[in-house]
Amino acid sequence: MPIRCALVCFLSIVSTPNISMITAEDFTRCRQKDSKLNECLKMAVPDALRRMKKGIPSLSVPPMEPLHVNSINVDSGSGPVVITQMYKNIKLHGLTNTLLTLYKADLKNYRLRTDSITPKMEFIADYIMRGRILLLPIQGKGVANITMVNLVVKHDLIGEPVVRDGETYMHIKDYRVKFIPQKVVLYFSNLFNGDKVLGDNMNEFLNSNSDLVFNELKESYEKSLSSVFQNVTNEIFDRVPMNKIFLEE
Ligand SMILES: *[C@@H]1O[C@H](CO)[C@@H](O)[C@H](O)[C@H]1NC(C)=O
Ligand SMILES: *[C@@H]1O[C@H](CO)[C@@H](O)[C@H](O)[C@H]1NC(C)=O
């Protein structure tokens, strides 16, 4: 097997018996100098993501389906939504069905920009919340389901070179995301200590105002999830030299 490795074919180099089904031949190869580099990456990244469904233990890449996140705290202090929310045991479903619609790699400046679309991303978590939405008090403790339909995400990865043992690694120091869902469906179980009538009414109310509710919470979600995406990316980028991720020749 030639050691001229391609995007994410590093998986095969570091493969353990657990992931022995992943081989170099399975991955799309992209070369830095290829005039179609961006087109190539557009195909290769979602493909790699699907192959990471169950995670890669040797690289500490967690399973992607679902992706577990410990906790997120949301504090929205002003405007029509004043609310404190705590989410724990978060599971994100649907990320591995993500497609990239745009990829702009500027490797000289260690900058990657990409737009993705996820047909359906479900955010399922234990929640506790208390606050006010459009003057209505809301409180509860149960399971939340926040489903984003046709979620467009704009990713902006700002990297820097880190040289170690003569190899250059592309460490991502800042990872920014913007979420633009076409539609958001919210469901919170056990609102108002399980009062069914109040709970059903509130869920209905939240969904008829889902644009407003989501916009107030969006920034907190973006901040938390971008740090998750950054960690996952760096688990790979800090371990695999840049010229093995983006082929030099
Ligand atoms: C979450 O909500 C969506 C949209 O209503 C639904 O399709 C999905 O089955 C729900 N998921 C869970 C785990 O309840
Ligand atoms: C990302 O990694 C840092 C450093 O290892 C850690 O402190 C932080 O909790 C991680 N964030 C998430 C969301 O996993």
Side-chain angles (χ1 to χ4, degrees), residues 10-77:
F10 57 84
L11 297 180
S12 66
I13 298 173
V14 294
S15 72
T16 64
N18 276 346
I19 55 160
S20 57
M21 64 280 194
I22 298 174
T23 70
E25 285 68 35
D26 292 335
F27 289 94
T28 313
R29 291 158 177 256
C30 302
R31 293 186 167 72
Q32 290 191 21
K33 291 216 182 77
D34 190 340
S35 60
K36 296 205 172 67
L37 172 66
N38 289 325
E39 286 303 307
C40 181
L41 289 169
K42 236 166 92 176
M43 303 297 294
V45 174
D47 187 56
L49 203 54
R50 279 190 291 277
R51 289 170 201 287
M52 282 152 57
K53 264 186 185 175
K54 296 201 160 72
I56 309 160
S58 58
L59 282 176
S60 318
V61 172
M64 291 287 141
E65 202 59 71
L67 177 63
H68 286 254
V69 180
N70 279 344
S71 63
I72 294 184
N73 293 330
V74 178
D75 262 309
S76 164

Side-chain angles (χ1 to χ4, degrees), residues 120 122 124 145 147 185:
K120 189 173 169 199
E122 285 176 34
I124 312 287
N145 174 350
T147 296
V185 184

